Amino acid sequence: MQASLVRPAAAMALAVALAAVGLGPAASPAVAATITAGSGSYTDTRPAGTSGPTNNTGAPVTPKLTEAAKNKPVPTNDWWTSLAYQRYGDNPYSTPMYGHPLTYQATAGGLEVGYPTTPSIVGDGRQYEYAHKADLTLGLSGLNSPDTKADDWSDWTVTPYWSDGTRTLRTTIGHGLPFVYAKGSGGNASITTASAPTVFADDGNVLGITVAGHNYALFSPTGTDWTVSGSTITAPLGGKDYFSLAVLPSTDALATFRKYAFSFVTGSTVSWSSSGGTVRATYSLTTEAKEGTERGTLQALYRHQWLHTSDALTGYTYVSPRGTMKVREATSFTTSQKSSGVVPALPAVSGVDTARLTAYLNEVANASDPFSGATDTYWTGKALGRLAQLVPVADQIGQTGIRDKMLGLLKTRLQEWFTAGGASEFSYDTAWKTLIGYPASYGSDTELNDHHFHYSYYVYAAAIIAQYDQAWAADSAWGTMVKNLIRDTANPSRTDSAFPFLRGFDVYAGHSWASGHQGFAAGNNQESSSESTNLSAALVLWGSATGDTSLRDLGSYLLTTESEAIEQYWFDTDQQVFPSSFGHDTVGMVWGSGAAYSTWWTSNPEEIHGINTLPITGGSLYLGRDKATVKRNLAEMERENGGPAVEWRDLLWEFEALADPASAKAKWDAGNAGYTPEAGESKAHTYQWITTLDSLGAPDMSISGDIPTSAVFTKNGVNTYVAHNYGTTARTVTFTNGATLSVPARSTATGTGAGGGTTDPGTDPGTDPGTGTSTGNTFRLKSGGTLTTATDGAAGTDTIASADGVNRDGTPYKPTTYQITNVNGTLSSGASTSFSLRVDAGTAVGLAPQVRVSYDLTGDGTFDRTETYRYFATDPVAGWEGYTQAVGAQATTGTLGNLTGGTVRLEIWNALGNSTSQVQTGTDAAVLKIPYV
């Protein structure tokens, strides 16, 4: 099936130029050609009889871009893509765009702006919407543009452009921006309101108005004046070309917003890092001072962001379909989260019957058609995923013959797709700068939908191959084609002229979008969030297997970020996002305007709940972060379904196993004989997954390892640490609770951890409402290993392990540990650490709880100061006793200093005795006070 390979000089030159970005040759030759990519190839012309991007009538479309933007790769699948993709022939402007807190829609006269604050429930109660409704339209007097084009864009902002030959208008809008920044010529600034406004402030060039119950501020250049005439408000620009407006959280916020009215946002950029088990991301805006010297701004953070930042926030908030947005007064903020680990497969455990598993594996390997007739991109991908999951499973039980047979099947099918001229191939669209697989499916060709879903399976399968055959994955072999799929879907480069930066992933929204054209009144949408994270997990595995740490860390950032967005916006984990009038605990689809308990193809509850779990892989562990959420999700499925799952029972059993492995195992044991696996699943994988988790316990996502290919599982208080080392030398993996695991080269290892306890002491700021380091220097001990400023937790108790009859005075032994990270504070002169605890040894004799407090001043993993206090000799009478710092310090090391993203830890252990004791949590009698302000 090898095609005749032709490589024009123009294509070769561009390939050389783009090789610097590290993702392989480019795809924009000057003439029609087949382009080599290592051992593979693709074309720049579609196969005969196929289509590329079209509008709703089937007519071909090209991007709507200004001259300034015509050579930039368009980030299709974004929140604003309808500006560039004219899906409907009679709408050359845009469909509604949901920036949050503001919503927008381009029209002939300018930009409609709305701030929806009241949800509506539609679709028989299955969908909630904060639908766009224009409060006002920003434009220029007389503007009547025939279309709107995309003039510029950055990571989460965009600049629409209007021109009618006399007047031109550019506006900059974006996620989290309470401002709209406008530049115009040929007319006065014009604001047309949906109804006559109420003026609450008038200071010449600054006007405060209320319309439709929402407060706005209008800003024209200094020396100009707004004129209100009914629903029309105008201002001359006084020889300038700029003006702006802002939605105000309250009328008394006008002074604050006025300060930043002429600090125009000109761009947005996210940067990320993944190290030590923590993913950090910084979201930055660039600004230009149109008047004066102010370069700061205001930005509204989504819930998934403010839960994980320790940066200062104002008291201002906004309503959004994603819950409350909180406002920061700065041009940047940083989030920090424990990384979501990925493993190639769950590890081998003794509870798995290898003979039974081998039989299940042979059912797949020896099937007459392991690909089940799949020919298009999506269903081929599903089959690739099913086989790829089983390769490491076969390997770990010594079935190398089955492993190699499956590897052969994967290689053969991928190589068919990665070679131009056969029944299946990839073709580069030079207008839209995208790689389309043919045969396509679900509009991946005509609407540019779902590339990240489909291609995730190809990258995942390639990563599994690379684990066993690095030569196959080399750039000179098939790795370049894999990287081209990555460039299409998750390109980390902003300078690659052949593909856009992170096509499908909306860095500010925290998740991907599926529609290539965004041509809906409800904005863009995403249904299968878990197929999006499948791509992120694939990047972690591919980057790890090929030594590309930048792609590995990109995958870790995407997976960690999106998994939190899924918890909040698909599963409403904290039950703070969905409107109270919406009668569901989970949704199948998230829209720009809200979310829906539905799928694109069925209203069957099994699919609604299952679509955000598949495919279940070693990258799915994040789904088990909150066990109560899993149980609530499945309970709703059974209520809506009228009983347990039937069609997708295997997926939902595996999902349940992430929270309650024993229950899932009981269901598997009772029902495994009489079901047909979901198309991307197999009995081999389902059996191994459920049985392994039943042995190890559910994943504990509160602990992470210092490589992304690691995970922790907990059963009956015992942690099992798992890591896969792709390197050529042995290494020690360190987990965030101090546990370590030695992992041989190119191997998976498991263990109970050396040097660490069974409970992770760490937490991200804001993991629970009120936790974190927002304010205050007094922390309550919270069961589960957290120090928190929250005062609304329930009282509880934790067990302090026995000293096992050995004198542990001064040295922590099996400590019960409490910790908080990302703490900022200024050392208070003359102050010192204090604590107030209640402990109880019951009737046990000779016990002595002891405390150590440690400070890591910069969060780099090294504790700069430790303070060990004398132990407290308990009495043998049941009842709480008070233990405070008044016992005196036994030993101190290091010096205190200011905390900058630091970590504070309290450890308590029994220094003496043969019995356990108890420590109270969750009350004002269980606190640590640090000497900081």
Coordinates of all heavy atoms in Angstrom, one line a residue, residues 342-374:
V342 N -1.0 8.9 35.4 CA -1.3 8.0 34.3 C -0.4 6.8 34.4 O 0.8 6.9 34.6 CB -1.2 8.7 33.0 CG1 -1.5 7.7 31.8 CG2 -2.0 9.9 32.9
V343 N -0.9 5.6 34.3 CA -0.1 4.4 34.2 C -0.5 3.6 32.9 O -1.6 3.7 32.5 CB -0.3 3.5 35.5 CG1 0.3 4.1 36.7 CG2 -1.8 3.2 35.7
P344 N 0.5 2.9 32.3 CA 0.1 2.2 31.1 C -1.0 1.2 31.3 O -1.8 0.9 30.4 CB 1.4 1.5 30.7 CG 2.5 2.2 31.5 CD 1.9 2.8 32.7
A345 N -1.0 0.6 32.5 CA -2.1 -0.4 32.9 C -2.0 -0.5 34.4 O -1.0 -0.2 35.0 CB -1.8 -1.7 32.2
L346 N -3.1 -0.9 35.0 CA -3.1 -1.3 36.4 C -2.1 -2.4 36.6 O -2.0 -3.3 35.7 CB -4.5 -1.7 36.9 CG -5.6 -0.6 36.8 CD1 -6.8 -1.2 37.5 CD2 -5.1 0.7 37.5
P347 N -1.4 -2.5 37.7 CA -0.3 -3.4 37.8 C -0.8 -4.9 38.1 O -2.0 -5.1 38.4 CB 0.4 -2.9 39.1 CG -0.6 -2.3 39.9 CD -1.5 -1.6 38.9
A348 N 0.1 -5.8 38.0 CA -0.3 -7.2 38.2 C -0.5 -7.4 39.7 O 0.2 -6.8 40.6 CB 0.9 -8.1 37.8
V349 N -1.5 -8.1 40.1 CA -1.8 -8.5 41.5 C -2.2 -10.0 41.5 O -2.6 -10.6 40.6 CB -3.0 -7.6 42.0 CG1 -2.7 -6.2 42.1 CG2 -4.3 -7.9 41.2
S350 N -2.0 -10.5 42.7 CA -2.2 -12.0 42.9 C -3.7 -12.3 42.8 O -4.0 -13.5 42.5 CB -1.7 -12.4 44.2 OG -2.3 -11.7 45.3
G351 N -4.6 -11.4 43.0 CA -6.0 -11.7 42.9 C -6.5 -12.0 41.5 O -7.6 -12.6 41.4
V352 N -5.8 -11.7 40.5 CA -6.2 -11.9 39.1 C -5.8 -13.4 38.8 O -4.7 -13.8 38.9 CB -5.5 -11.0 38.1 CG1 -5.7 -11.4 36.7 CG2 -6.0 -9.5 38.4
D353 N -6.8 -14.1 38.3 CA -6.6 -15.5 37.8 C -6.0 -15.5 36.4 O -6.6 -15.1 35.5 CB -7.9 -16.2 37.8 CG -7.8 -17.7 37.4 OD1 -6.9 -18.0 36.6 OD2 -8.7 -18.5 37.8
T354 N -4.7 -15.8 36.3 CA -4.0 -15.6 35.1 C -4.5 -16.5 34.0 O -4.6 -16.2 32.8 CB -2.5 -15.9 35.2 OG1 -2.3 -17.2 35.8 CG2 -1.9 -14.8 36.1
A355 N -5.0 -17.7 34.3 CA -5.6 -18.6 33.3 C -6.9 -18.0 32.8 O -7.1 -18.0 31.5 CB -5.9 -20.0 33.9
R356 N -7.7 -17.5 33.6 CA -8.9 -16.9 33.2 C -8.6 -15.6 32.3 O -9.3 -15.4 31.3 CB -9.8 -16.5 34.4 CG -11.1 -15.9 34.1 CD -11.9 -15.6 35.4 NE -13.2 -15.1 35.1 CZ -14.1 -14.8 36.1 NH1 -13.7 -14.8 37.3 NH2 -15.3 -14.3 35.7
L357 N -7.7 -14.8 32.8 CA -7.3 -13.6 32.0 C -6.8 -14.0 30.7 O -7.1 -13.3 29.7 CB -6.3 -12.8 32.8 CG -5.9 -11.5 32.2 CD1 -7.0 -10.6 31.8 CD2 -4.9 -10.7 33.1
T358 N -5.9 -15.0 30.6 CA -5.4 -15.5 29.4 C -6.5 -15.9 28.4 O -6.4 -15.6 27.2 CB -4.4 -16.6 29.6 OG1 -3.3 -16.2 30.4 CG2 -3.8 -17.1 28.2
A359 N -7.5 -16.6 28.9 CA -8.6 -17.0 28.0 C -9.3 -15.8 27.5 O -9.7 -15.7 26.3 CB -9.6 -17.9 28.8
Y360 N -9.5 -14.8 28.3 CA -10.2 -13.5 27.8 C -9.3 -12.8 26.8 O -9.8 -12.3 25.8 CB -10.5 -12.6 29.0 CG -11.6 -13.0 29.9 CD1 -11.5 -12.7 31.3 CD2 -12.8 -13.5 29.4 CE1 -12.6 -13.1 32.1 CE2 -13.8 -13.9 30.2 CZ -13.7 -13.6 31.6 OH -14.8 -14.0 32.4
L361 N -8.0 -12.8 27.0 CA -7.1 -12.1 26.1 C -7.1 -12.8 24.7 O -7.1 -12.2 23.7 CB -5.7 -12.2 26.6 CG -5.4 -11.2 27.8 CD1 -4.0 -11.6 28.4 CD2 -5.4 -9.8 27.3
N362 N -7.2 -14.2 24.7 CA -7.2 -14.9 23.5 C -8.5 -14.6 22.7 O -8.5 -14.7 21.5 CB -7.0 -16.4 23.7 CG -5.6 -16.8 23.9 OD1 -4.7 -16.3 23.1 ND2 -5.3 -17.7 24.8
E363 N -9.6 -14.4 23.4 CA -10.8 -14.0 22.7 C -10.7 -12.8 21.8 O -11.2 -12.8 20.7 CB -12.0 -13.8 23.7 CG -12.5 -15.0 24.4 CD -13.6 -14.6 25.4 OE1 -14.0 -13.5 25.4 OE2 -14.0 -15.5 26.2
V364 N -9.9 -11.9 22.3 CA -9.6 -10.7 21.5 C -8.6 -10.9 20.5 O -8.8 -10.6 19.3 CB -9.2 -9.5 22.4 CG1 -8.9 -8.2 21.6 CG2 -10.3 -9.2 23.5
A365 N -7.5 -11.5 20.9 CA -6.3 -11.6 19.9 C -6.7 -12.6 18.8 O -6.2 -12.4 17.7 CB -5.1 -12.2 20.7
N366 N -7.5 -13.6 19.0 CA -7.8 -14.6 18.0 C -9.2 -14.3 17.3 O -9.6 -15.2 16.5 CB -7.9 -16.0 18.6 CG -6.5 -16.3 19.2 OD1 -5.5 -15.9 18.7 ND2 -6.5 -17.1 20.2
A367 N -9.8 -13.1 17.5 CA -11.0 -12.8 16.8 C -10.8 -12.8 15.3 O -9.7 -12.4 14.9 CB -11.5 -11.5 17.3
S368 N -11.8 -13.2 14.6 CA -11.7 -13.2 13.1 C -11.4 -11.8 12.6 O -10.7 -11.6 11.6 CB -12.9 -13.8 12.5 OG -14.1 -13.0 12.8
D369 N -11.9 -10.8 13.2 CA -11.7 -9.4 12.9 C -11.5 -8.6 14.1 O -12.5 -8.1 14.7 CB -12.8 -8.8 12.0 CG -12.6 -7.4 11.6 OD1 -11.5 -6.8 11.9 OD2 -13.5 -6.7 11.0
P370 N -10.3 -8.4 14.6 CA -10.1 -7.7 15.9 C -10.6 -6.2 15.8 O -10.7 -5.6 16.8 CB -8.6 -7.8 16.1 CG -8.2 -8.9 15.3 CD -9.0 -9.0 14.1
F371 N -10.8 -5.7 14.6 CA -11.2 -4.3 14.4 C -12.7 -4.2 14.1 O -13.2 -3.1 13.9 CB -10.4 -3.6 13.3 CG -9.0 -3.4 13.7 CD1 -8.0 -4.4 13.5 CD2 -8.6 -2.2 14.3 CE1 -6.7 -4.1 13.9 CE2 -7.3 -2.0 14.7 CZ -6.3 -3.0 14.5
S372 N -13.4 -5.3 14.2 CA -14.9 -5.3 14.1 C -15.4 -4.5 13.0 O -16.4 -3.9 13.0 CB -15.5 -4.8 15.4 OG -15.0 -5.5 16.6
G373 N -14.7 -4.6 11.8 CA -15.2 -4.0 10.6 C -15.0 -2.5 10.6 O -15.5 -1.8 9.6
A374 N -14.3 -1.9 11.5 CA -14.1 -0.5 11.6 C -13.3 0.0 10.4 O -12.3 -0.6 10.0 CB -13.4 -0.1 12.8

